[in-house]
PDB file of all heavy atoms in Angstrom:
ATOM      1  N   SER A 237      83.039 140.445  33.803  1.00 97.00           N
ATOM      2  CA  SER A 237      83.159 139.325  34.740  1.00 97.00           C
ATOM      3  C   SER A 237      81.835 138.597  34.918  1.00 97.00           C
ATOM      4  O   SER A 237      80.763 139.209  34.949  1.00 97.00           O
ATOM      5  CB  SER A 237      83.635 139.835  36.103  1.00 97.00           C
ATOM      6  OG  SER A 237      83.632 138.787  37.054  1.00 97.00           O
ATOM      7  N   ARG A 238      81.929 137.259  35.077  1.00 94.00           N
ATOM      8  CA  ARG A 238      80.745 136.464  35.380  1.00 94.00           C
ATOM      9  C   ARG A 238      80.545 136.317  36.880  1.00 94.00           C
ATOM     10  O   ARG A 238      79.604 135.655  37.324  1.00 94.00           O
ATOM     11  CB  ARG A 238      80.880 135.087  34.727  1.00 94.00           C
ATOM     12  CG  ARG A 238      80.847 135.158  33.192  1.00 94.00           C
ATOM     13  CD  ARG A 238      81.073 133.815  32.536  1.00 94.00           C
ATOM     14  NE  ARG A 238      80.061 132.850  32.919  1.00 94.00           N
ATOM     15  CZ  ARG A 238      80.040 131.581  32.489  1.00 94.00           C
ATOM     16  NH1 ARG A 238      80.980 131.154  31.664  1.00 94.00           N
ATOM     17  NH2 ARG A 238      79.094 130.755  32.880  1.00 94.00           N
ATOM     18  N   VAL A 239      81.422 136.909  37.663  1.00 98.00           N
ATOM     19  CA  VAL A 239      81.287 136.890  39.120  1.00 98.00           C
ATOM     20  C   VAL A 239      80.393 138.056  39.536  1.00 98.00           C
ATOM     21  O   VAL A 239      80.678 139.210  39.186  1.00 98.00           O
ATOM     22  CB  VAL A 239      82.660 137.006  39.809  1.00 98.00           C
ATOM     23  CG1 VAL A 239      82.502 136.957  41.328  1.00 98.00           C
ATOM     24  CG2 VAL A 239      83.600 135.903  39.327  1.00 98.00           C
ATOM     25  N   PRO A 240      79.332 137.812  40.286  1.00 98.00           N
ATOM     26  CA  PRO A 240      78.423 138.906  40.675  1.00 98.00           C
ATOM     27  C   PRO A 240      78.977 139.684  41.875  1.00 98.00           C
ATOM     28  O   PRO A 240      78.461 139.606  42.990  1.00 98.00           O
ATOM     29  CB  PRO A 240      77.136 138.162  41.031  1.00 98.00           C
ATOM     30  CG  PRO A 240      77.605 136.833  41.545  1.00 98.00           C
ATOM     31  CD  PRO A 240      78.833 136.488  40.745  1.00 98.00           C
ATOM     32  N   TRP A 241      80.015 140.451  41.644  1.00 98.00           N
ATOM     33  CA  TRP A 241      80.769 141.070  42.732  1.00 98.00           C
ATOM     34  C   TRP A 241      79.885 141.879  43.684  1.00 98.00           C
ATOM     35  O   TRP A 241      79.948 141.701  44.908  1.00 98.00           O
ATOM     36  CB  TRP A 241      81.864 141.969  42.154  1.00 98.00           C
ATOM     37  CG  TRP A 241      82.894 141.220  41.369  1.00 98.00           C
ATOM     38  CD1 TRP A 241      83.036 141.184  40.012  1.00 98.00           C
ATOM     39  CD2 TRP A 241      83.915 140.363  41.892  1.00 98.00           C
ATOM     40  NE1 TRP A 241      84.070 140.367  39.654  1.00 98.00           N
ATOM     41  CE2 TRP A 241      84.644 139.855  40.789  1.00 98.00           C
ATOM     42  CE3 TRP A 241      84.302 139.987  43.183  1.00 98.00           C
ATOM     43  CZ2 TRP A 241      85.725 138.996  40.938  1.00 98.00           C
ATOM     44  CZ3 TRP A 241      85.377 139.126  43.334  1.00 98.00           C
ATOM     45  CH2 TRP A 241      86.075 138.638  42.233  1.00 98.00           C
ATOM     46  N   LEU A 242      79.090 142.783  43.186  1.00 98.00           N
ATOM     47  CA  LEU A 242      78.310 143.670  44.050  1.00 98.00           C
ATOM     48  C   LEU A 242      77.182 142.916  44.743  1.00 98.00           C
ATOM     49  O   LEU A 242      76.803 143.249  45.879  1.00 98.00           O
ATOM     50  CB  LEU A 242      77.768 144.846  43.240  1.00 98.00           C
ATOM     51  CG  LEU A 242      78.834 145.690  42.525  1.00 98.00           C
ATOM     52  CD1 LEU A 242      78.194 146.910  41.864  1.00 98.00           C
ATOM     53  CD2 LEU A 242      79.946 146.113  43.483  1.00 98.00           C
ATOM     54  N   HIS A 243      76.648 141.904  44.100  1.00 98.00           N
ATOM     55  CA  HIS A 243      75.615 141.066  44.718  1.00 98.00           C
ATOM     56  C   HIS A 243      76.198 140.292  45.910  1.00 98.00           C
ATOM     57  O   HIS A 243      75.534 140.152  46.951  1.00 98.00           O
ATOM     58  CB  HIS A 243      75.054 140.100  43.670  1.00 98.00           C
ATOM     59  CG  HIS A 243      74.043 139.130  44.203  1.00 98.00           C
ATOM     60  ND1 HIS A 243      72.766 139.500  44.578  1.00 98.00           N
ATOM     61  CD2 HIS A 243      74.124 137.788  44.428  1.00 98.00           C
ATOM     62  CE1 HIS A 243      72.101 138.441  45.002  1.00 98.00           C
ATOM     63  NE2 HIS A 243      72.901 137.389  44.926  1.00 98.00           N
ATOM     64  N   LEU A 244      77.425 139.827  45.778  1.00 98.00           N
ATOM     65  CA  LEU A 244      78.034 139.016  46.830  1.00 98.00           C
ATOM     66  C   LEU A 244      78.201 139.793  48.131  1.00 98.00           C
ATOM     67  O   LEU A 244      77.985 139.251  49.221  1.00 98.00           O
ATOM     68  CB  LEU A 244      79.392 138.483  46.368  1.00 98.00           C
ATOM     69  CG  LEU A 244      79.379 137.431  45.263  1.00 98.00           C
ATOM     70  CD1 LEU A 244      80.801 137.053  44.869  1.00 98.00           C
ATOM     71  CD2 LEU A 244      78.606 136.200  45.713  1.00 98.00           C
ATOM     72  N   ILE A 245      78.583 141.056  48.030  1.00 98.00           N
ATOM     73  CA  ILE A 245      78.873 141.784  49.269  1.00 98.00           C
ATOM     74  C   ILE A 245      77.619 142.278  49.977  1.00 98.00           C
ATOM     75  O   ILE A 245      77.699 142.786  51.101  1.00 98.00           O
ATOM     76  CB  ILE A 245      79.846 142.952  49.028  1.00 98.00           C
ATOM     77  CG1 ILE A 245      79.248 143.976  48.068  1.00 98.00           C
ATOM     78  CG2 ILE A 245      81.185 142.439  48.556  1.00 98.00           C
ATOM     79  CD1 ILE A 245      79.986 145.297  48.066  1.00 98.00           C
ATOM     80  N   GLU A 246      76.470 142.131  49.363  1.00 98.00           N
ATOM     81  CA  GLU A 246      75.240 142.491  50.062  1.00 98.00           C
ATOM     82  C   GLU A 246      74.987 141.557  51.244  1.00 98.00           C
ATOM     83  O   GLU A 246      74.352 141.948  52.221  1.00 98.00           O
ATOM     84  CB  GLU A 246      74.055 142.439  49.095  1.00 98.00           C
ATOM     85  CG  GLU A 246      74.095 143.498  48.014  1.00 98.00           C
ATOM     86  CD  GLU A 246      72.956 143.339  47.020  1.00 98.00           C
ATOM     87  OE1 GLU A 246      72.205 142.332  47.114  1.00 98.00           O
ATOM     88  OE2 GLU A 246      72.814 144.219  46.151  1.00 98.00           O
ATOM     89  N   ASP A 247      75.475 140.336  51.133  1.00 98.00           N
ATOM     90  CA  ASP A 247      75.259 139.333  52.183  1.00 98.00           C
ATOM     91  C   ASP A 247      76.428 138.359  52.119  1.00 98.00           C
ATOM     92  O   ASP A 247      76.592 137.634  51.137  1.00 98.00           O
ATOM     93  CB  ASP A 247      73.936 138.591  51.942  1.00 98.00           C
ATOM     94  CG  ASP A 247      73.568 137.659  53.097  1.00 98.00           C
ATOM     95  OD1 ASP A 247      74.480 137.214  53.824  1.00 98.00           O
ATOM     96  OD2 ASP A 247      72.367 137.370  53.251  1.00 98.00           O
ATOM     97  N   TYR A 248      77.258 138.330  53.173  1.00 98.00           N
ATOM     98  CA  TYR A 248      78.461 137.498  53.137  1.00 98.00           C
ATOM     99  C   TYR A 248      78.146 136.007  53.132  1.00 98.00           C
ATOM    100  O   TYR A 248      79.020 135.191  52.816  1.00 98.00           O
ATOM    101  CB  TYR A 248      79.376 137.834  54.307  1.00 98.00           C
ATOM    102  CG  TYR A 248      79.978 139.226  54.266  1.00 98.00           C
ATOM    103  CD1 TYR A 248      80.749 139.700  55.323  1.00 98.00           C
ATOM    104  CD2 TYR A 248      79.788 140.072  53.174  1.00 98.00           C
ATOM    105  CE1 TYR A 248      81.298 140.969  55.308  1.00 98.00           C
ATOM    106  CE2 TYR A 248      80.329 141.344  53.143  1.00 98.00           C
ATOM    107  CZ  TYR A 248      81.079 141.792  54.217  1.00 98.00           C
ATOM    108  OH  TYR A 248      81.620 143.053  54.187  1.00 98.00           O
ATOM    109  N   ASP A 249      76.911 135.625  53.464  1.00 98.00           N
ATOM    110  CA  ASP A 249      76.520 134.224  53.304  1.00 98.00           C
ATOM    111  C   ASP A 249      76.714 133.784  51.856  1.00 98.00           C
ATOM    112  O   ASP A 249      77.042 132.625  51.577  1.00 98.00           O
ATOM    113  CB  ASP A 249      75.049 134.021  53.690  1.00 98.00           C
ATOM    114  CG  ASP A 249      74.847 133.904  55.195  1.00 98.00           C
ATOM    115  OD1 ASP A 249      75.837 134.072  55.940  1.00 98.00           O
ATOM    116  OD2 ASP A 249      73.707 133.648  55.621  1.00 98.00           O
ATOM    117  N   ARG A 250      76.497 134.710  50.921  1.00 98.00           N
ATOM    118  CA  ARG A 250      76.644 134.377  49.503  1.00 98.00           C
ATOM    119  C   ARG A 250      78.107 134.065  49.168  1.00 98.00           C
ATOM    120  O   ARG A 250      78.395 133.194  48.345  1.00 98.00           O
ATOM    121  CB  ARG A 250      76.141 135.536  48.648  1.00 98.00           C
ATOM    122  CG  ARG A 250      74.658 135.835  48.839  1.00 98.00           C
ATOM    123  CD  ARG A 250      74.260 137.168  48.206  1.00 98.00           C
ATOM    124  NE  ARG A 250      72.857 137.503  48.504  1.00 98.00           N
ATOM    125  CZ  ARG A 250      72.306 138.682  48.261  1.00 98.00           C
ATOM    126  NH1 ARG A 250      73.039 139.657  47.720  1.00 98.00           N
ATOM    127  NH2 ARG A 250      71.027 138.905  48.558  1.00 98.00           N
ATOM    128  N   ILE A 251      79.013 134.788  49.798  1.00 98.00           N
ATOM    129  CA  ILE A 251      80.442 134.507  49.594  1.00 98.00           C
ATOM    130  C   ILE A 251      80.774 133.123  50.141  1.00 98.00           C
ATOM    131  O   ILE A 251      81.458 132.320  49.493  1.00 98.00           O
ATOM    132  CB  ILE A 251      81.319 135.579  50.272  1.00 98.00           C
ATOM    133  CG1 ILE A 251      80.969 136.977  49.763  1.00 98.00           C
ATOM    134  CG2 ILE A 251      82.798 135.275  50.053  1.00 98.00           C
ATOM    135  CD1 ILE A 251      81.676 138.102  50.498  1.00 98.00           C
ATOM    136  N   ARG A 252      80.261 132.826  51.333  1.00 98.00           N
ATOM    137  CA  ARG A 252      80.549 131.523  51.947  1.00 98.00           C
ATOM    138  C   ARG A 252      79.924 130.373  51.152  1.00 98.00           C
ATOM    139  O   ARG A 252      80.486 129.275  51.097  1.00 98.00           O
ATOM    140  CB  ARG A 252      80.096 131.533  53.403  1.00 98.00           C
ATOM    141  CG  ARG A 252      80.965 132.441  54.280  1.00 98.00           C
ATOM    142  CD  ARG A 252      80.600 132.355  55.738  1.00 98.00           C
ATOM    143  NE  ARG A 252      79.412 133.122  56.059  1.00 98.00           N
ATOM    144  CZ  ARG A 252      79.409 134.394  56.454  1.00 98.00           C
ATOM    145  NH1 ARG A 252      80.551 135.068  56.549  1.00 98.00           N
ATOM    146  NH2 ARG A 252      78.277 135.016  56.753  1.00 98.00           N
ATOM    147  N   ASP A 253      78.780 130.618  50.542  1.00 98.00           N
ATOM    148  CA  ASP A 253      78.191 129.587  49.674  1.00 98.00           C
ATOM    149  C   ASP A 253      79.135 129.243  48.522  1.00 98.00           C
ATOM    150  O   ASP A 253      79.244 128.071  48.116  1.00 98.00           O
ATOM    151  CB  ASP A 253      76.848 130.064  49.106  1.00 98.00           C
ATOM    152  CG  ASP A 253      75.722 130.039  50.142  1.00 98.00           C
ATOM    153  OD1 ASP A 253      75.851 129.307  51.148  1.00 98.00           O
ATOM    154  OD2 ASP A 253      74.717 130.753  49.935  1.00 98.00           O
ATOM    155  N   LEU A 254      79.818 130.248  47.995  1.00 98.00           N
ATOM    156  CA  LEU A 254      80.759 130.004  46.906  1.00 98.00           C
ATOM    157  C   LEU A 254      82.037 129.340  47.410  1.00 98.00           C
ATOM    158  O   LEU A 254      82.624 128.499  46.719  1.00 98.00           O
ATOM    159  CB  LEU A 254      81.091 131.317  46.197  1.00 98.00           C
ATOM    160  CG  LEU A 254      79.952 131.932  45.381  1.00 98.00           C
ATOM    161  CD1 LEU A 254      80.360 133.295  44.837  1.00 98.00           C
ATOM    162  CD2 LEU A 254      79.548 131.008  44.231  1.00 98.00           C
ATOM    163  N   ILE A 255      82.471 129.714  48.615  1.00 98.00           N
ATOM    164  CA  ILE A 255      83.668 129.089  49.177  1.00 98.00           C
ATOM    165  C   ILE A 255      83.481 127.575  49.271  1.00 98.00           C
ATOM    166  O   ILE A 255      84.374 126.796  48.915  1.00 98.00           O
ATOM    167  CB  ILE A 255      84.003 129.689  50.561  1.00 98.00           C
ATOM    168  CG1 ILE A 255      84.497 131.135  50.407  1.00 98.00           C
ATOM    169  CG2 ILE A 255      85.058 128.846  51.279  1.00 98.00           C
ATOM    170  CD1 ILE A 255      84.734 131.862  51.712  1.00 98.00           C
ATOM    171  N   GLU A 256      82.312 127.126  49.720  1.00 97.00           N
ATOM    172  CA  GLU A 256      82.121 125.685  49.868  1.00 97.00           C
ATOM    173  C   GLU A 256      82.009 124.984  48.516  1.00 97.00           C
ATOM    174  O   GLU A 256      82.264 123.784  48.418  1.00 97.00           O
ATOM    175  CB  GLU A 256      80.923 125.370  50.763  1.00 97.00           C
ATOM    176  CG  GLU A 256      79.560 125.691  50.217  1.00 97.00           C
ATOM    177  CD  GLU A 256      78.461 125.219  51.177  1.00 97.00           C
ATOM    178  OE1 GLU A 256      78.258 125.856  52.239  1.00 97.00           O
ATOM    179  OE2 GLU A 256      77.807 124.214  50.854  1.00 97.00           O
ATOM    180  N   LYS A 257      81.657 125.711  47.463  1.00 97.00           N
ATOM    181  CA  LYS A 257      81.658 125.102  46.129  1.00 97.00           C
ATOM    182  C   LYS A 257      83.084 124.849  45.639  1.00 97.00           C
ATOM    183  O   LYS A 257      83.342 123.886  44.911  1.00 97.00           O
ATOM    184  CB  LYS A 257      80.931 126.007  45.131  1.00 97.00           C
ATOM    185  CG  LYS A 257      79.416 126.008  45.278  1.00 97.00           C
ATOM    186  CD  LYS A 257      78.775 126.811  44.150  1.00 97.00           C
ATOM    187  CE  LYS A 257      77.256 126.764  44.236  1.00 97.00           C
ATOM    188  NZ  LYS A 257      76.619 127.487  43.112  1.00 97.00           N
ATOM    189  N   ILE A 258      83.998 125.716  46.020  1.00 98.00           N
ATOM    190  CA  ILE A 258      85.390 125.580  45.575  1.00 98.00           C
ATOM    191  C   ILE A 258      86.166 124.638  46.493  1.00 98.00           C
ATOM    192  O   ILE A 258      87.010 123.873  46.041  1.00 98.00           O
ATOM    193  CB  ILE A 258      86.091 126.957  45.519  1.00 98.00           C
ATOM    194  CG1 ILE A 258      85.244 127.965  44.729  1.00 98.00           C
ATOM    195  CG2 ILE A 258      87.487 126.834  44.918  1.00 98.00           C
ATOM    196  CD1 ILE A 258      85.008 127.586  43.290  1.00 98.00           C
ATOM    197  N   TYR A 259      85.861 124.683  47.794  1.00 97.00           N
ATOM    198  CA  TYR A 259      86.608 123.906  48.791  1.00 97.00           C
ATOM    199  C   TYR A 259      85.630 123.036  49.580  1.00 97.00           C
ATOM    200  O   TYR A 259      84.990 123.516  50.533  1.00 97.00           O
ATOM    201  CB  TYR A 259      87.378 124.840  49.731  1.00 97.00           C
ATOM    202  CG  TYR A 259      88.157 125.894  48.981  1.00 97.00           C
ATOM    203  CD1 TYR A 259      87.684 127.200  48.877  1.00 97.00           C
ATOM    204  CD2 TYR A 259      89.340 125.574  48.336  1.00 97.00           C
ATOM    205  CE1 TYR A 259      88.373 128.157  48.162  1.00 97.00           C
ATOM    206  CE2 TYR A 259      90.037 126.530  47.610  1.00 97.00           C
ATOM    207  CZ  TYR A 259      89.550 127.822  47.527  1.00 97.00           C
ATOM    208  OH  TYR A 259      90.240 128.756  46.807  1.00 97.00           O
ATOM    209  N   PRO A 260      85.482 121.761  49.210  1.00 95.00           N
ATOM    210  CA  PRO A 260      84.472 120.896  49.836  1.00 95.00           C
ATOM    211  C   PRO A 260      84.605 120.765  51.346  1.00 95.00           C
ATOM    212  O   PRO A 260      83.620 120.454  52.020  1.00 95.00           O
ATOM    213  CB  PRO A 260      84.711 119.546  49.140  1.00 95.00           C
ATOM    214  CG  PRO A 260      85.323 119.900  47.823  1.00 95.00           C
ATOM    215  CD  PRO A 260      86.168 121.111  48.096  1.00 95.00           C
ATOM    216  N   ASP A 261      85.804 121.001  51.883  1.00 96.00           N
ATOM    217  CA  ASP A 261      85.980 120.894  53.334  1.00 96.00           C
ATOM    218  C   ASP A 261      85.142 121.924  54.084  1.00 96.00           C
ATOM    219  O   ASP A 261      84.917 121.807  55.287  1.00 96.00           O
ATOM    220  CB  ASP A 261      87.462 121.073  53.678  1.00 96.00           C
ATOM    221  CG  ASP A 261      87.851 120.338  54.945  1.00 96.00           C
ATOM    222  OD1 ASP A 261      87.056 119.499  55.418  1.00 96.00           O
ATOM    223  OD2 ASP A 261      88.947 120.597  55.468  1.00 96.00           O
ATOM    224  N   PHE A 262      84.654 122.956  53.362  1.00 97.00           N
ATOM    225  CA  PHE A 262      83.815 123.991  53.969  1.00 97.00           C
ATOM    226  C   PHE A 262      82.325 123.701  53.764  1.00 97.00           C
ATOM    227  O   PHE A 262      81.515 124.625  53.784  1.00 97.00           O
ATOM    228  CB  PHE A 262      84.157 125.356  53.376  1.00 97.00           C
ATOM    229  CG  PHE A 262      85.443 125.951  53.879  1.00 97.00           C
ATOM    230  CD1 PHE A 262      86.647 125.643  53.274  1.00 97.00           C
ATOM    231  CD2 PHE A 262      85.452 126.809  54.964  1.00 97.00           C
ATOM    232  CE1 PHE A 262      87.844 126.181  53.724  1.00 97.00           C
ATOM    233  CE2 PHE A 262      86.638 127.358  55.431  1.00 97.00           C
ATOM    234  CZ  PHE A 262      87.843 127.038  54.809  1.00 97.00           C
ATOM    235  N   HIS A 263      81.963 122.438  53.611  1.00 97.00           N
ATOM    236  CA  HIS A 263      80.555 122.089  53.389  1.00 97.00           C
ATOM    237  C   HIS A 263      79.683 122.615  54.533  1.00 97.00           C
ATOM    238  O   HIS A 263      80.115 122.689  55.690  1.00 97.00           O
ATOM    239  CB  HIS A 263      80.397 120.571  53.251  1.00 97.00           C
ATOM    240  CG  HIS A 263      80.772 119.809  54.488  1.00 97.00           C
ATOM    241  ND1 HIS A 263      79.895 119.558  55.520  1.00 97.00           N
ATOM    242  CD2 HIS A 263      81.952 119.241  54.848  1.00 97.00           C
ATOM    243  CE1 HIS A 263      80.498 118.881  56.461  1.00 97.00           C
ATOM    244  NE2 HIS A 263      81.746 118.671  56.098  1.00 97.00           N
ATOM    245  N   ASP A 264      78.460 122.989  54.202  1.00 97.00           N
ATOM    246  CA  ASP A 264      77.514 123.532  55.189  1.00 97.00           C
ATOM    247  C   ASP A 264      78.129 124.700  55.967  1.00 97.00           C
ATOM    248  O   ASP A 264      77.900 124.861  57.168  1.00 97.00           O
ATOM    249  CB  ASP A 264      77.057 122.442  56.170  1.00 97.00           C
ATOM    250  CG  ASP A 264      76.420 121.268  55.463  1.00 97.00           C
ATOM    251  OD1 ASP A 264      75.601 121.498  54.555  1.00 97.00           O
ATOM    252  OD2 ASP A 264      76.751 120.115  55.798  1.00 97.00           O
ATOM    253  N   TYR A 265      78.884 125.511  55.247  1.00 98.00           N
ATOM    254  CA  TYR A 265      79.674 126.583  55.873  1.00 98.00           C
ATOM    255  C   TYR A 265      78.807 127.499  56.739  1.00 98.00           C
ATOM    256  O   TYR A 265      79.079 127.708  57.931  1.00 98.00           O
ATOM    257  CB  TYR A 265      80.355 127.369  54.762  1.00 98.00           C
ATOM    258  CG  TYR A 265      81.515 128.250  55.160  1.00 98.00           C
ATOM    259  CD1 TYR A 265      82.282 128.867  54.169  1.00 98.00           C
ATOM    260  CD2 TYR A 265      81.876 128.473  56.478  1.00 98.00           C
ATOM    261  CE1 TYR A 265      83.360 129.675  54.479  1.00 98.00           C
ATOM    262  CE2 TYR A 265      82.954 129.281  56.806  1.00 98.00           C
ATOM    263  CZ  TYR A 265      83.691 129.878  55.799  1.00 98.00           C
ATOM    264  OH  TYR A 265      84.756 130.682  56.112  1.00 98.00           O
ATOM    265  N   ASN A 266      77.764 128.039  56.163  1.00 98.00           N
ATOM    266  CA  ASN A 266      76.956 129.012  56.901  1.00 98.00           C
ATOM    267  C   ASN A 266      76.277 128.400  58.120  1.00 98.00           C
ATOM    268  O   ASN A 266      76.165 129.055  59.164  1.00 98.00           O
ATOM    269  CB  ASN A 266      75.924 129.644  55.962  1.00 98.00           C
ATOM    270  CG  ASN A 266      76.549 130.706  55.067  1.00 98.00           C
ATOM    271  OD1 ASN A 266      77.217 131.609  55.548  1.00 98.00           O
ATOM    272  ND2 ASN A 266      76.357 130.567  53.761  1.00 98.00           N
ATOM    273  N   ALA A 267      75.838 127.178  57.998  1.00 97.00           N
ATOM    274  CA  ALA A 267      75.205 126.527  59.150  1.00 97.00           C
ATOM    275  C   ALA A 267      76.224 126.268  60.251  1.00 97.00           C
ATOM    276  O   ALA A 267      75.949 126.487  61.440  1.00 97.00           O
ATOM    277  CB  ALA A 267      74.556 125.213  58.719  1.00 97.00           C
ATOM    278  N   ARG A 268      77.404 125.839  59.870  1.00 97.00           N
ATOM    279  CA  ARG A 268      78.392 125.444  60.884  1.00 97.00           C
ATOM    280  C   ARG A 268      79.014 126.635  61.605  1.00 97.00           C
ATOM    281  O   ARG A 268      79.395 126.518  62.772  1.00 97.00           O
ATOM    282  CB  ARG A 268      79.472 124.565  60.256  1.00 97.00           C
ATOM    283  CG  ARG A 268      78.944 123.177  59.863  1.00 97.00           C
ATOM    284  CD  ARG A 268      80.085 122.191  59.643  1.00 97.00           C
ATOM    285  NE  ARG A 268      80.803 122.458  58.409  1.00 97.00           N
ATOM    286  CZ  ARG A 268      81.973 121.878  58.101  1.00 97.00           C
ATOM    287  NH1 ARG A 268      82.544 121.039  58.953  1.00 97.00           N
ATOM    288  NH2 ARG A 268      82.569 122.155  56.948  1.00 97.00           N
ATOM    289  N   ILE A 269      79.124 127.789  60.938  1.00 95.00           N
ATOM    290  CA  ILE A 269      79.700 128.927  61.670  1.00 95.00           C
ATOM    291  C   ILE A 269      78.692 129.567  62.619  1.00 95.00           C
ATOM    292  O   ILE A 269      79.067 130.388  63.465  1.00 95.00           O
ATOM    293  CB  ILE A 269      80.282 130.006  60.735  1.00 95.00           C
ATOM    294  CG1 ILE A 269      79.187 130.633  59.877  1.00 95.00           C
ATOM    295  CG2 ILE A 269      81.437 129.481  59.941  1.00 95.00           C
ATOM    296  CD1 ILE A 269      79.526 132.027  59.407  1.00 95.00           C
ATOM    297  N   ARG A 270      77.437 129.191  62.496  1.00 94.00           N
ATOM    298  CA  ARG A 270      76.441 129.713  63.433  1.00 94.00           C
ATOM    299  C   ARG A 270      76.400 128.910  64.727  1.00 94.00           C
ATOM    300  O   ARG A 270      75.715 129.279  65.678  1.00 94.00           O
ATOM    301  CB  ARG A 270      75.069 129.759  62.756  1.00 94.00           C
ATOM    302  CG  ARG A 270      74.967 130.905  61.743  1.00 94.00           C
ATOM    303  CD  ARG A 270      73.689 130.864  60.915  1.00 94.00           C
ATOM    304  NE  ARG A 270      73.508 132.086  60.135  1.00 94.00           N
ATOM    305  CZ  ARG A 270      74.131 132.373  59.004  1.00 94.00           C
ATOM    306  NH1 ARG A 270      74.998 131.506  58.508  1.00 94.00           N
ATOM    307  NH2 ARG A 270      73.907 133.516  58.364  1.00 94.00           N
ATOM    308  N   VAL A 271      77.138 127.832  64.785  1.00 92.00           N
ATOM    309  CA  VAL A 271      77.293 127.069  66.023  1.00 92.00           C
ATOM    310  C   VAL A 271      78.405 127.742  66.831  1.00 92.00           C
ATOM    311  O   VAL A 271      79.494 127.976  66.306  1.00 92.00           O
ATOM    312  CB  VAL A 271      77.674 125.609  65.724  1.00 92.00           C
ATOM    313  CG1 VAL A 271      77.917 124.847  67.021  1.00 92.00           C
ATOM    314  CG2 VAL A 271      76.592 124.944  64.892  1.00 92.00           C
ATOM    315  N   PRO A 272      78.157 128.096  68.092  1.00 89.00           N
ATOM    316  CA  PRO A 272      79.209 128.747  68.886  1.00 89.00           C
ATOM    317  C   PRO A 272      80.513 127.951  68.865  1.00 89.00           C
ATOM    318  O   PRO A 272      80.515 126.744  69.085  1.00 89.00           O
ATOM    319  CB  PRO A 272      78.607 128.785  70.298  1.00 89.00           C
ATOM    320  CG  PRO A 272      77.126 128.815  70.059  1.00 89.00           C
ATOM    321  CD  PRO A 272      76.899 127.958  68.843  1.00 89.00           C
ATOM    322  N   GLY A 273      81.592 128.639  68.572  1.00 87.00           N
ATOM    323  CA  GLY A 273      82.881 127.967  68.491  1.00 87.00           C
ATOM    324  C   GLY A 273      83.238 127.498  67.101  1.00 87.00           C
ATOM    325  O   GLY A 273      84.386 127.175  66.823  1.00 87.00           O
TER     326      GLY A 273
END
């Protein structure tokens, strides 16, 4: 696999970085979930 599976789970921010690459509606994902609510 070209997916770095074990690297991703070390820090879930890395998973969210990939989510926003696939789904543009999740842009700035990590920054926006750090805002309360």
Side-chain angles (χ1 to χ4, degrees):
S237 174
R238 293 176 60 181
V239 181
W241 296 105
L242 302 186
H243 177 72
L244 291 177
I245 62 165
E246 293 176 354
D247 187 335
Y248 294 175
D249 279 5
R250 297 168 185 169
I251 303 173
R252 290 185 282 269
D253 285 339
L254 291 175
I255 290 175
E256 69 176 74
K257 286 186 177 183
I258 309 298
Y259 312 102
D261 208 13
F262 285 87
H263 63 87
D264 303 315
Y265 197 172
N266 282 308
R268 290 197 287 169
I269 64 155
R270 286 172 170 78
V271 177

